Amino acid sequence: MVNTTESKRLELHKLLKLHSTIQNVYFSPIDSVSINYPAIVYSEADRTDLYANNYVYLFNVSYTVVVIDRDPVFVTQTVDAFKVNFPYSTIKTTYIKNNLYHKVIVITI
């Protein structure tokens, strides 16, 4: 597969399902999408390009990943597993919205 932003996104999607028990994984869902919980919602956050000879030689893409569930312990355990399996990740914040626990981690691949 060609190394593109989309190929990296698909790789992350597969790895998110692999490294958690959550199968409801959504990429930048629109408001009309009905989300089933527990869920992982992720979106592209940043892209870093490394240039060589006036061309992009290598790039990394960062994704904001939010783990959502009613059980705060489950959310924390899931994010902790991501932190172990994705060495270039940073846990950002935790919050409660609509009686659901949200934990945010930024993963770079």
Side-chain angles (χ1 to χ4, degrees):
M1 181 182 284
V2 176
N3 195 18
T4 63
T5 304
E6 182 64 10
S7 67
K8 287 189 180 250
R9 186 193 72 76
L10 293 173
E11 175 188 356
L12 177 66
H13 193 95
K14 182 176 74 172
L15 291 172
L16 289 173
K17 286 186 171 186
L18 178 69
H19 294 300
S20 76
T21 58
I22 301 172
Q23 295 303 304
N24 301 315
V25 180
Y26 305 90
F27 174 66
S28 297
I30 57 175
D31 290 338
S32 62
V33 171
S34 178
I35 296 177
N36 298 314
Y37 301 101
I40 297 171
V41 177
Y42 68 102
S43 60
E44 189 174 331
D46 193 20
R47 177 182 159 139
T48 306
D49 295 330
L50 179 64
Y51 291 89
N53 206 19
N54 292 328
Y55 292 98
V56 174
Y57 174 72
L58 179 69
F59 68 94
N60 293 319
V61 182
S62 296
Y63 293 90
T64 301
V65 178
V66 183
V67 179
I68 309 165
D69 191 37
R70 295 192 190 287
D71 181 5
V73 174
F74 177 74
V75 169
T76 299
Q77 289 172 343
T78 302
V79 170
D80 289 347
F82 289 157
K83 184 70 179 150
V84 169
N85 290 295
F86 297 99
Y88 300 108
S89 63
T90 305
I91 298 172
K92 289 296 187 179
T93 190
T94 303
Y95 60 94
I96 301 170
K97 182 178 178 184
N98 298 331
N99 294 321
L100 293 168
Y101 292 90
H102 297 65
K103 195 155 197 152
V104 180
I105 184 171
V106 175
I107 297 174
T108 302
I109 57 170

